[in-house]
Amino acid sequence: MSVVQVDRLAISYAAGKRSVPVVRGVSFAIEAGRTLGLVGESGSGKSTVARTLLAHLRTGSTIERGTVHVDGQDVFALSPSGRRALRGGTASVVAQNAGQALTPSMRVGEQIREALRAHGEPDGPERVLELVRLVRLPAPETIVRRYPHQLSGGQQQRVAIAMAVAARPRVLVLDEPTTALDVVTQAAVLDLIADLGRELGMAVLLVSHDLGVVSAMADEIAVMRDGEVVEHAATAALFAAPQHEYTRALLAAVPDGRRPGPTSPVPARRASGGTAVPMGRGADRVPEDATVSSTVTSRAGRTVPPEPLVRPVVTAEDLVIRYGRGLPAAVDGVSFTIAPRETLAVVGESGSGKSTLATALAGLVPAESGTFSFNDGTVSGDLREPIAGRSPELRRAVQLVFQNADTSLNPRRTVGAAIARPLKLFTGSSSRERVGELLTRVGLGPEFAERLPAQLSGGQRQRVGIARALAAEPRLVIADEITTALDVQVQAGILALLADLQRSRGLSCLFISHDLAVVRGVADRVAVMTGGRIVEIGPTERVFGGPNHPYTTTLLAATLEPGSTELPDVGDGVPRWRHADGWTDRGDGHLTRNWEDA
């Protein structure tokens, strides 16, 4: 018998005096112990459908027709008390944005305890620690005493999963549950969810744009476009022989991080492996006026002639960043450069220091020590200075696209107002035409200028954040997980836009991501971070091709490929590697510094 039954569901929302349909006659069923993957482009209605399983509709939305039954109950016919019992008891959700789902003023242990108490479950300290260990968070006794802002995005996501499964629900809704997770943690969390689904007999609805995740987790897949299900089939059958042209287009747009050669739909750019010198510890230092003496092979497989080394726009040397006196360094002795028109990708586990590095580059957290500077020939400055101490020219030159578009946009200001503000501040002009042009460049359109963030999907909000950063016409863009909320086709368009800006405007990019397939397609060089340190840095194909540092090998082995029907084996989600003294367990979530040579 089906635990979930959605029948001919149609939903619309009010946009001024108009009624806009967002879901058009969707039907599906999920049996106990089965997982349905819901995929499609940003704004296709995936999350709207998923939230109806918890009797939730966005403000201004209306059910035009159809029904939603969960565990035999018509969820929209329930009383207010019945809906409270449904949410978290019968059906739970793991939201796309765990940071927004957690209460910032409560310690995470107390929030887990509250989720248990709300449904009459035992809520003692041992049960809370049991749930924390279940989702494989490091140092459980310490984690439960922290506030959400003291956790990385991936750690916040795992706390949200612990709260969702606390009452052992019958239905679990996963709305982009792995967007904030590195590949090792992602594999461990998905393995955990699969185990819980089997153990508890849960019906699972997985909403995701990551076809690798969906293919490994789902028994069947429904593909949505413009509010309709255009194809619904068993996972293996859909990947082997997609029937609808839109499904085929989605699969064709997926970058494959393991295939040699060009792996992304983004147009190939010139290789920069010979134009920027890695400056990590142990790297050979080359004088800035030196030239490359050998040819360089580009990502497109072409051999290009040597070209002079150029002066980097960003230089970091022995950079140390910490969040408080006496606390361990979040970034510990990091050195690197970024050249003009170069994309340096930073990859690593959740909590490795990637986003801390990004926020320091943007001036949102101060550097404690080391050299950190920007110089593109026209604008220069000390990047150790916080944003308030930087010149207007430097603030304009360095722009950050935040990982979490939900919390970086003012919910009371329209999309147009959000983009017009940096336009007016940095260019003196905030015309509707220019706002519309920027919205069009990120794949939306001028009509989105009048909408509020709550009226957009997660992927659409992310594109607004990108448009806002581009409004300043920067020289360096810090892209902090900017593709996590985007479907593969929109993702390809955004990455192509960045590539075009690099060619036409000399834009440089610090690209932070856990999606190794995307990284391989867009990055000139890759830096691998863990425990606040860079353990490997080099040209993209060299890093992906190996031989690698043991931690890099772990990341590559945990990458999910679209069409795979199995999760990678990462054991208990705590990678192990060969240390000088033998096999060593990470244990505390950080790598020891005394590595054996890879």
Side-chain angles (χ1 to χ4, degrees):
M1 179 180 175
S2 298
V3 181
V4 172
Q5 182 72 52
V6 176
D7 186 33
R8 295 175 297 175
L9 182 65
I11 300 172
S12 64
Y13 72 82
K17 296 182 179 180
R18 296 184 302 119
S19 179
V20 179
V22 290
V23 176
R24 310 164 189 259
V26 168
S27 298
F28 61 82
I30 314 174
E31 297 179 0
R34 302 275 293 178
T35 298
L36 172 67
L38 203 56
V39 303
E41 62 191 350
S42 172
S44 62
K46 306 186 302 295
S47 293
T48 299
V49 170
R51 295 305 179 96
T52 62
L53 272 56
L54 289 93
H56 178 271
L57 290 175
R58 287 181 180 174
T59 302
S61 298
T62 304
I63 293 183
E64 301 291 345
R65 65 178 185 279
T67 57
V68 178
H69 285 83
V70 173
D71 202 21
Q73 303 177 93
D74 183 343
V75 298
F76 289 104
L78 292 173
S79 64
S81 61
R83 292 188 184 185
R84 285 194 295 272
L86 169 75
R87 296 167 181 166
T90 306
S92 284
V93 63
V94 177
Q96 179 176 342
N97 179 4
Q100 195 176 35
L102 299 176
T103 302
S105 60
M106 289 178 65
R107 299 181 193 273
V108 297
E110 184 58 32
Q111 296 193 54
I112 296 172
R113 186 172 295 111
E114 185 179 65
L116 290 164
R117 192 182 304 128
H119 298 282
E121 298 286 328
D123 64 343
E126 284 306 313
R127 175 57 177 155
V128 172
L129 289 174
E130 178 186 342
L131 285 167
V132 170
R133 294 188 186 101
L134 191 67
V135 294
R136 292 144 183 161
L137 281 162
E141 290 81 3
T142 302
I143 282 280
V144 296
R145 297 197 298 271
R146 294 183 183 174
Y147 292 95
H149 74 273
Q150 295 173 315
L151 306 183
S152 70
Q155 289 170 337
Q156 291 175 351
Q157 192 74 299
R158 282 179 275 176
V159 170
I161 292 170
M163 294 169 63
V165 302
R168 296 176 169 253
R170 294 274 287 146
V171 175
L172 185 63
V173 176
L174 304 171
D175 189 0
E176 301 282 7
T178 61
T179 56
L181 305 182
D182 62 90
V183 289
V184 174
T185 304
Q186 169 183 275
V189 167
L190 293 176
D191 187 51
L192 164 67
I193 292 169
D195 287 344
L196 289 171
R198 288 189 293 268
E199 177 188 340
L200 303 179
M202 290 189 297
V204 179
L205 179 63
L206 172 62
V207 177
S208 182
H209 66 268
D210 189 328
L211 298 182
V213 168
V214 173
S215 65
M217 285 289 293
D219 299 294
E220 40 189 306
I221 297 175
V223 181
M224 288 192 69
R225 186 184 191 189
D226 293 332
E228 298 179 302
V229 173
V230 297
E231 185 166 357
H232 187 160
T235 300
L238 185 136
F239 276 90
Q243 300 300 305
H244 195 278
E245 60 178 355
Y246 177 67
T247 309
R248 292 193 290 270
L250 279 182
L251 295 177
V254 176
D256 182 352
R258 290 189 174 182
R259 225 170 19 232
T263 57
S264 168
V266 179
R269 293 182 283 112
R270 64 105 182 96
S272 66
T275 64
V277 180
M279 297 186 68
R281 292 180 183 272
D284 293 332
R285 302 301 174 89
V286 180
E288 289 181 327
D289 59 353
T291 58
V292 180
S293 60
S294 62
T295 58
V296 179
T297 302
S298 75
R299 285 177 307 208
R302 298 188 303 272
T303 299
V304 298
E307 54 183 325
L309 287 170
V310 296
R311 184 179 298 276
V313 294
V314 174
T315 301
E317 189 78 37
D318 294 325
L319 190 64
V320 175
I321 304 166
R322 71 180 81 238
Y323 286 104
R325 184 175 298 175
L327 294 177
V331 171
D332 187 8
V334 163
S335 300
F336 64 92
T337 61
I338 305 176
R341 293 184 172 87
E342 182 187 32
T343 295
L344 173 67
V346 182
V347 302
E349 66 190 297
S350 169
S352 62
K354 306 187 304 295
S355 291
T356 298
L357 188 61
T359 52
L361 185 54
L364 301 181
V365 295
E368 177 181 288
S369 62
T371 301
F372 202 20
S373 62
F374 179 90
N375 187 347
D376 71 345
T378 59
V379 178
S380 62
D382 188 348
L383 294 171
R384 291 177 301 177
E385 286 283 341
I387 192 71
R390 295 183 181 181
S391 68
E393 293 78 18
L394 183 58
R395 290 202 301 268
R396 177 178 182 177
V398 180
Q399 290 290 311
L400 170 65
V401 182
F402 291 91
Q403 176 179 352
N404 185 354
D406 287 349
T407 54
S408 67
L409 294 174
N410 187 330
R412 297 184 180 182
R413 294 177 69 88
T414 65
V415 165
I419 297 172
R421 189 165 184 262
L423 276 174
K424 185 174 183 180
L425 179 64
F426 293 119
T427 70
S429 172
S430 56
S431 66
R432 293 172 60 91
E433 291 75 16
R434 180 63 178 142
V435 170
E437 178 188 333
L438 285 163
L439 285 169
T440 301
R441 293 197 76 175
V442 296
L444 295 175
E447 67 274 13
F448 281 80
E450 301 304 317
R451 297 190 190 180
L452 292 170
Q455 296 174 312
L456 306 181
S457 70
Q460 289 168 338
R461 287 192 290 268
Q462 188 68 289
R463 282 181 271 174
V464 171
I466 295 167
R468 182 175 59 180
L470 295 179
E473 299 181 358
R475 305 294 295 168
L476 172 72
V477 166
I478 308 159
D480 188 4
E481 300 280 12
I482 66 169
T483 62
T484 54
L486 305 180
D487 64 89
V488 288
Q489 290 186 308
V490 172
Q491 170 183 280
I494 292 299
L495 297 177
L497 169 61
L498 288 177
D500 178 63
L501 290 171
Q502 288 183 288
R503 283 192 301 269
S504 62
R505 299 186 184 179
L507 187 72
S508 300
C509 184
L510 181 70
F511 191 87
I512 294 173
S513 181
H514 64 261
D515 191 328
L516 300 187
V518 169
V519 165
R520 187 171 189 176
V522 303
D524 297 294
R525 287 188 300 133
V526 177
V528 181
M529 283 193 76
T530 189
R533 299 173 69 84
I534 292 177
V535 296
E536 181 166 359
I537 187 168
T540 302
E541 287 306 318
R542 192 184 77 195
V543 171
F544 275 80
N548 300 112
H549 187 281
Y551 179 69
T552 309
T553 302
T554 301
L555 287 181
L556 293 172
T559 302
L560 284 167
E561 295 184 25
S564 170
T565 57
E566 294 184 359
L567 291 167
D569 182 9
V570 293
D572 58 0
V574 181
R576 291 170 172 80
W577 47 83
R578 184 166 296 282
H579 185 263
D581 300 324
W583 286 105
T584 301
D585 191 316
R586 176 175 62 183
D588 63 353
H590 293 283
L591 302 186
T592 179
R593 298 182 186 180
N594 185 22
W595 288 96
E596 178 184 45
D597 290 340

